[in-house]
Amino acid sequence: MQFSMLFSAVSALIAASVVGAVPGGVTIQEVYVPPVTSPSGNDVWKVGSRQTVTWDVSRPPKTITNSIGTIMLRKANLTTPVILADGFKILNGKQVVTVPWVVDGDDYQVVLFGDSGNNSPVFTIKK
Ligand SMILES: *[C@@H]1O[C@H](CO)[C@@H](O)[C@H](O)[C@H]1NC(C)=O
């Protein structure tokens, strides 16, 4: 009985974080995953150039567990060990990065980590 009640509560929390909103305005401790707004799907980043990664901080939560961010590079749906930026404030909403010397590809993404990870759309890096 106790366990199944706990299970229901946990399921409800997971469902709430998946849809990103709780009907009726109930406040829960949510994981903050601000959507990455740049790079977007048609972007081409030149190796060695400086680019600004942006994300939407227009709806910040009351509390953030980890307010310091890290941006990493992904390719082919896998997060690489490449750190593009680290140690910035998530609530800044943007961070300038230098595009690393990597192989050309049209299947790159960045992932913003704070409380949780949030991927950008897929974009291109070229020499
Ligand atoms: C990455 O994931 C997307 C969405 O699931 C899929 O369409 C795409 O083919 C995947 N790309 C690779 C390289 O696996």
Side-chain angles (χ1 to χ4, degrees):
M1 183 59 183
Q2 290 282 54
F3 178 77
S4 77
M5 284 174 67
L6 176 64
F7 182 78
S8 304
V10 169
S11 301
L13 279 174
I14 290 168
S17 67
V18 167
V19 299
V22 182
V26 178
T27 303
I28 59 166
Q29 178 76 35
E30 63 180 315
V31 173
Y32 184 45
V33 283
V36 174
T37 47
S38 179
S40 63
N42 295 320
D43 285 356
V44 178
W45 283 8
K46 192 169 160 36
V47 165
S49 66
R50 285 162 67 79
Q51 302 289 340
T52 304
V53 177
T54 62
W55 55 95
D56 184 1
V57 289
S58 62
R59 303 179 68 190
K62 289 194 181 72
T63 59
I64 302 179
T65 311
N66 176 18
S67 63
I68 301 300
T70 299
I71 297 171
M72 295 185 73
L73 188 65
R74 284 169 61 85
K75 180 170 173 44
N77 296 330
L78 296 171
T79 301
T80 70
V82 177
I83 296 171
L84 296 174
D86 198 11
F88 55 85
K89 293 198 175 87
I90 285 283
L91 291 178
N92 285 354
K94 63 180 181 183
Q95 177 65 35
V96 174
V97 303
T98 299
V99 183
W101 189 8
V102 291
V103 294
D104 287 3
D106 60 4
D107 54 357
Y108 283 101
Q109 293 170 288
V110 297
V111 53
L112 172 68
F113 289 102
D115 280 356
S116 184
N118 199 2
N119 299 337
S120 75
V122 174
F123 65 99
T124 298
I125 296 181
K126 290 169 77 170
K127 275 195 276 302

